[in-house]
mmCIF file of all heavy atoms in Angstrom:
data_model
loop_
_atom_site.group_PDB
_atom_site.id
_atom_site.type_symbol
_atom_site.label_atom_id
_atom_site.label_comp_id
_atom_site.label_asym_id
_atom_site.label_seq_id
_atom_site.Cartn_x
_atom_site.Cartn_y
_atom_site.Cartn_z
ATOM 1 N N GLN A 19 -26.542 81.256 81.371
ATOM 2 C CA GLN A 19 -27.096 82.581 81.683
ATOM 3 C C GLN A 19 -26.038 83.679 81.615
ATOM 4 O O GLN A 19 -26.373 84.848 81.463
ATOM 5 C CB GLN A 19 -27.748 82.573 83.062
ATOM 6 C CG GLN A 19 -29.019 81.760 83.104
ATOM 7 C CD GLN A 19 -29.593 81.649 84.510
ATOM 8 O OE1 GLN A 19 -29.007 82.118 85.478
ATOM 9 N NE2 GLN A 19 -30.747 81.015 84.616
ATOM 10 N N THR A 20 -24.775 83.318 81.715
ATOM 11 C CA THR A 20 -23.708 84.317 81.684
ATOM 12 C C THR A 20 -23.248 84.636 80.263
ATOM 13 O O THR A 20 -22.456 85.551 80.071
ATOM 14 C CB THR A 20 -22.474 83.848 82.489
ATOM 15 O OG1 THR A 20 -21.852 82.742 81.823
ATOM 16 C CG2 THR A 20 -22.853 83.459 83.906
ATOM 17 N N LEU A 21 -23.749 83.895 79.277
ATOM 18 C CA LEU A 21 -23.284 84.020 77.895
ATOM 19 C C LEU A 21 -24.173 84.951 77.078
ATOM 20 O O LEU A 21 -25.352 85.136 77.395
ATOM 21 C CB LEU A 21 -23.264 82.644 77.230
ATOM 22 C CG LEU A 21 -22.395 81.581 77.896
ATOM 23 C CD1 LEU A 21 -22.634 80.229 77.229
ATOM 24 C CD2 LEU A 21 -20.941 81.968 77.853
ATOM 25 N N SER A 22 -23.612 85.467 76.010
ATOM 26 C CA SER A 22 -24.407 86.216 75.043
ATOM 27 C C SER A 22 -25.342 85.230 74.332
ATOM 28 O O SER A 22 -25.149 84.012 74.404
ATOM 29 C CB SER A 22 -23.500 86.892 74.012
ATOM 30 O OG SER A 22 -22.894 85.912 73.176
ATOM 31 N N GLU A 23 -26.313 85.758 73.624
ATOM 32 C CA GLU A 23 -27.259 84.890 72.910
ATOM 33 C C GLU A 23 -26.541 83.969 71.922
ATOM 34 O O GLU A 23 -26.819 82.768 71.856
ATOM 35 C CB GLU A 23 -28.292 85.737 72.179
ATOM 36 C CG GLU A 23 -29.331 84.910 71.443
ATOM 37 C CD GLU A 23 -30.370 85.775 70.748
ATOM 38 O OE1 GLU A 23 -30.525 86.946 71.099
ATOM 39 O OE2 GLU A 23 -31.024 85.246 69.841
ATOM 40 N N LYS A 24 -25.606 84.530 71.173
ATOM 41 C CA LYS A 24 -24.862 83.737 70.184
ATOM 42 C C LYS A 24 -24.037 82.647 70.859
ATOM 43 O O LYS A 24 -24.039 81.492 70.426
ATOM 44 C CB LYS A 24 -23.948 84.656 69.378
ATOM 45 C CG LYS A 24 -23.168 83.965 68.296
ATOM 46 C CD LYS A 24 -22.333 84.975 67.523
ATOM 47 C CE LYS A 24 -21.589 84.332 66.386
ATOM 48 N NZ LYS A 24 -20.812 85.323 65.630
ATOM 49 N N ASP A 25 -23.344 82.993 71.942
ATOM 50 C CA ASP A 25 -22.536 82.001 72.651
ATOM 51 C C ASP A 25 -23.398 80.954 73.342
ATOM 52 O O ASP A 25 -23.036 79.780 73.410
ATOM 53 C CB ASP A 25 -21.613 82.684 73.660
ATOM 54 C CG ASP A 25 -20.502 83.468 72.997
ATOM 55 O OD1 ASP A 25 -20.183 83.182 71.829
ATOM 56 O OD2 ASP A 25 -19.953 84.371 73.651
ATOM 57 N N ARG A 26 -24.560 81.366 73.852
ATOM 58 C CA ARG A 26 -25.486 80.427 74.492
ATOM 59 C C ARG A 26 -25.974 79.401 73.474
ATOM 60 O O ARG A 26 -26.065 78.210 73.765
ATOM 61 C CB ARG A 26 -26.644 81.222 75.095
ATOM 62 C CG ARG A 26 -27.485 80.463 76.059
ATOM 63 C CD ARG A 26 -28.470 81.309 76.855
ATOM 64 N NE ARG A 26 -28.969 82.497 76.197
ATOM 65 C CZ ARG A 26 -28.666 83.740 76.536
ATOM 66 N NH1 ARG A 26 -27.832 83.984 77.516
ATOM 67 N NH2 ARG A 26 -29.195 84.759 75.888
ATOM 68 N N ARG A 27 -26.272 79.867 72.260
ATOM 69 C CA ARG A 27 -26.726 78.975 71.178
ATOM 70 C C ARG A 27 -25.633 77.970 70.826
ATOM 71 O O ARG A 27 -25.894 76.779 70.651
ATOM 72 C CB ARG A 27 -27.091 79.849 69.980
ATOM 73 C CG ARG A 27 -27.710 79.163 68.839
ATOM 74 C CD ARG A 27 -28.274 80.145 67.812
ATOM 75 N NE ARG A 27 -27.312 81.107 67.307
ATOM 76 C CZ ARG A 27 -27.409 82.427 67.477
ATOM 77 N NH1 ARG A 27 -28.424 82.963 68.114
ATOM 78 N NH2 ARG A 27 -26.493 83.244 66.975
ATOM 79 N N ARG A 28 -24.400 78.434 70.742
ATOM 80 C CA ARG A 28 -23.282 77.541 70.417
ATOM 81 C C ARG A 28 -22.994 76.571 71.560
ATOM 82 O O ARG A 28 -22.680 75.405 71.329
ATOM 83 C CB ARG A 28 -22.046 78.356 70.091
ATOM 84 C CG ARG A 28 -22.166 79.115 68.790
ATOM 85 C CD ARG A 28 -20.985 80.000 68.566
ATOM 86 N NE ARG A 28 -21.025 80.606 67.248
ATOM 87 C CZ ARG A 28 -20.050 81.348 66.770
ATOM 88 N NH1 ARG A 28 -18.967 81.582 67.479
ATOM 89 N NH2 ARG A 28 -20.157 81.875 65.571
ATOM 90 N N PHE A 29 -23.089 77.046 72.789
ATOM 91 C CA PHE A 29 -22.903 76.180 73.956
ATOM 92 C C PHE A 29 -23.951 75.062 73.945
ATOM 93 O O PHE A 29 -23.621 73.887 74.142
ATOM 94 C CB PHE A 29 -23.007 77.003 75.247
ATOM 95 C CG PHE A 29 -23.037 76.191 76.502
ATOM 96 C CD1 PHE A 29 -21.929 75.463 76.901
ATOM 97 C CD2 PHE A 29 -24.169 76.160 77.299
ATOM 98 C CE1 PHE A 29 -21.955 74.710 78.068
ATOM 99 C CE2 PHE A 29 -24.204 75.414 78.460
ATOM 100 C CZ PHE A 29 -23.092 74.689 78.852
ATOM 101 N N ALA A 30 -25.193 75.431 73.690
ATOM 102 C CA ALA A 30 -26.266 74.431 73.624
ATOM 103 C C ALA A 30 -25.991 73.422 72.514
ATOM 104 O O ALA A 30 -26.209 72.217 72.696
ATOM 105 C CB ALA A 30 -27.611 75.125 73.396
ATOM 106 N N ALA A 31 -25.490 73.885 71.386
ATOM 107 C CA ALA A 31 -25.184 72.996 70.262
ATOM 108 C C ALA A 31 -24.094 71.996 70.633
ATOM 109 O O ALA A 31 -24.203 70.801 70.337
ATOM 110 C CB ALA A 31 -24.762 73.810 69.052
ATOM 111 N N ILE A 32 -23.057 72.476 71.289
ATOM 112 C CA ILE A 32 -21.967 71.579 71.696
ATOM 113 C C ILE A 32 -22.471 70.543 72.693
ATOM 114 O O ILE A 32 -22.203 69.342 72.560
ATOM 115 C CB ILE A 32 -20.795 72.388 72.282
ATOM 116 C CG1 ILE A 32 -20.109 73.182 71.174
ATOM 117 C CG2 ILE A 32 -19.799 71.473 72.993
ATOM 118 C CD1 ILE A 32 -19.128 74.222 71.680
ATOM 119 N N GLU A 33 -23.208 70.994 73.699
ATOM 120 C CA GLU A 33 -23.726 70.064 74.707
ATOM 121 C C GLU A 33 -24.660 69.028 74.075
ATOM 122 O O GLU A 33 -24.610 67.850 74.416
ATOM 123 C CB GLU A 33 -24.456 70.833 75.814
ATOM 124 C CG GLU A 33 -23.542 71.646 76.696
ATOM 125 C CD GLU A 33 -22.592 70.795 77.523
ATOM 126 O OE1 GLU A 33 -22.964 69.685 77.937
ATOM 127 O OE2 GLU A 33 -21.462 71.248 77.768
ATOM 128 N N ALA A 34 -25.504 69.473 73.149
ATOM 129 C CA ALA A 34 -26.458 68.564 72.510
ATOM 130 C C ALA A 34 -25.753 67.512 71.669
ATOM 131 O O ALA A 34 -26.101 66.323 71.718
ATOM 132 C CB ALA A 34 -27.438 69.356 71.652
ATOM 133 N N THR A 35 -24.754 67.929 70.892
ATOM 134 C CA THR A 35 -24.076 66.968 70.028
ATOM 135 C C THR A 35 -23.224 65.987 70.829
ATOM 136 O O THR A 35 -23.042 64.846 70.398
ATOM 137 C CB THR A 35 -23.218 67.678 68.964
ATOM 138 O OG1 THR A 35 -22.303 68.561 69.596
ATOM 139 C CG2 THR A 35 -24.085 68.473 67.997
ATOM 140 N N GLN A 36 -22.743 66.386 71.984
ATOM 141 C CA GLN A 36 -21.977 65.468 72.831
ATOM 142 C C GLN A 36 -22.850 64.345 73.374
ATOM 143 O O GLN A 36 -22.342 63.282 73.718
ATOM 144 C CB GLN A 36 -21.344 66.207 74.009
ATOM 145 C CG GLN A 36 -20.176 67.068 73.636
ATOM 146 C CD GLN A 36 -19.591 67.784 74.840
ATOM 147 O OE1 GLN A 36 -20.213 67.871 75.894
ATOM 148 N NE2 GLN A 36 -18.400 68.300 74.682
ATOM 149 N N ARG A 37 -24.137 64.572 73.450
ATOM 150 C CA ARG A 37 -25.043 63.584 74.030
ATOM 151 C C ARG A 37 -25.604 62.602 73.011
ATOM 152 O O ARG A 37 -26.276 61.660 73.378
ATOM 153 C CB ARG A 37 -26.161 64.305 74.770
ATOM 154 C CG ARG A 37 -25.659 64.815 76.095
ATOM 155 C CD ARG A 37 -26.581 65.806 76.736
ATOM 156 N NE ARG A 37 -26.112 66.100 78.085
ATOM 157 C CZ ARG A 37 -25.069 66.863 78.369
ATOM 158 N NH1 ARG A 37 -24.382 67.413 77.405
ATOM 159 N NH2 ARG A 37 -24.699 67.073 79.615
ATOM 160 N N GLY A 38 -25.357 62.842 71.747
ATOM 161 C CA GLY A 38 -25.814 61.896 70.730
ATOM 162 C C GLY A 38 -27.319 61.949 70.531
ATOM 163 O O GLY A 38 -27.950 62.993 70.702
ATOM 164 N N PHE A 39 -27.908 60.806 70.212
ATOM 165 C CA PHE A 39 -29.337 60.717 69.895
ATOM 166 C C PHE A 39 -30.173 61.265 71.047
ATOM 167 O O PHE A 39 -29.998 60.874 72.192
ATOM 168 C CB PHE A 39 -29.734 59.268 69.599
ATOM 169 C CG PHE A 39 -31.174 59.129 69.221
ATOM 170 C CD1 PHE A 39 -31.594 59.459 67.941
ATOM 171 C CD2 PHE A 39 -32.108 58.695 70.136
ATOM 172 C CE1 PHE A 39 -32.922 59.344 67.583
ATOM 173 C CE2 PHE A 39 -33.444 58.570 69.787
ATOM 174 C CZ PHE A 39 -33.845 58.900 68.511
ATOM 175 N N GLY A 40 -31.082 62.180 70.741
ATOM 176 C CA GLY A 40 -31.947 62.791 71.748
ATOM 177 C C GLY A 40 -31.329 63.978 72.456
ATOM 178 O O GLY A 40 -31.981 64.620 73.276
ATOM 179 N N GLY A 41 -30.089 64.280 72.140
ATOM 180 C CA GLY A 41 -29.385 65.356 72.827
ATOM 181 C C GLY A 41 -29.979 66.729 72.588
ATOM 182 O O GLY A 41 -30.010 67.560 73.504
ATOM 183 N N ILE A 42 -30.454 66.979 71.393
ATOM 184 C CA ILE A 42 -31.016 68.291 71.079
ATOM 185 C C ILE A 42 -32.266 68.546 71.918
ATOM 186 O O ILE A 42 -32.407 69.603 72.541
ATOM 187 C CB ILE A 42 -31.308 68.426 69.574
ATOM 188 C CG1 ILE A 42 -29.996 68.443 68.784
ATOM 189 C CG2 ILE A 42 -32.137 69.687 69.282
ATOM 190 C CD1 ILE A 42 -30.159 68.430 67.277
#
Side-chain angles (χ1 to χ4, degrees):
Q19 290 175 356
T20 68
L21 302 172
S22 69
E23 181 179 341
K24 182 178 183 179
D25 290 339
R26 194 169 30 250
R27 187 169 56 243
R28 291 175 173 185
F29 171 67
I32 290 168
E33 290 294 326
T35 55
Q36 287 180 344
R37 283 166 172 75
F39 182 78
I42 292 174

